[in-house]
Amino acid sequence: MPARTRIILLSIAALATIVFLQPLLTLLGGVMVLALVGTLIYRDLPLDTQDIIEEYLNAWLRRARDGFWPSSQSRRDEDDPVLMMEEEYEEKPAPKPRARRSRARSKSGSGNGSPS
């Protein structure tokens, strides 16, 4: 590969990295700052408030997960109000297959079915 082509390709790669990677790194840095601040705030809360927040997040994650992977019946707990609400969304039984009707046979003069 000639040196001039290599320089052009490296310049394009550097420009694309600057253009596309800078917003990504800014977004990731902002998310990390928010997570750090949230962690510090959560740490300073009383234990009962931490438990309430933890239960809320666990219920939210369970609902989100069950949207992707339906929960099994063996995992259900009858005392959990979140799981009791999920019983409304149980799967419906599959519809019964329809009976196939046979077609009436047409009488044709030739064996291959095309007019001669």
Side-chain angles (χ1 to χ4, degrees):
M1 178 183 301
R4 183 176 177 159
T5 306
R6 189 176 347 180
I7 291 171
I8 292 172
L9 288 176
L10 286 174
S11 300
I12 291 172
L15 183 65
T17 302
I18 291 169
V19 168
F20 292 111
L21 210 55
Q22 183 180 6
L24 177 66
L25 291 177
T26 303
L27 173 71
L28 292 177
V31 168
M32 288 192 58
V33 167
L34 289 174
L36 176 68
V37 170
T39 303
L40 292 175
I41 292 172
Y42 179 79
R43 185 187 67 174
D44 292 336
L45 292 173
L47 289 178
D48 57 342
T49 308
Q50 288 181 5
D51 290 339
I52 292 170
I53 292 173
E54 185 178 345
E55 288 174 10
Y56 176 78
L57 289 176
N58 282 337
W60 181 79
L61 287 172
R62 188 178 300 122
R63 284 193 306 267
R65 184 189 63 223
D66 286 344
F68 293 108
W69 300 285
S71 62
S72 64
Q73 292 293 333
S74 62
R75 193 176 62 105
R76 293 197 171 214
D77 185 11
E78 299 300 328
D79 297 332
D80 193 352
V82 174
L83 292 176
M84 291 170 66
M85 286 176 30
E86 290 177 357
E87 291 177 358
E88 299 174 6
Y89 303 108
E90 288 183 4
E91 295 181 16
K92 296 179 182 177
K96 295 180 182 177
R98 292 176 31 185
R100 297 183 68 179
R101 287 188 259 163
S102 60
R103 293 189 211 164
R105 294 187 182 184
S106 62
K107 295 181 180 180
S108 62
S110 62
N112 61 6
S114 62
S116 48

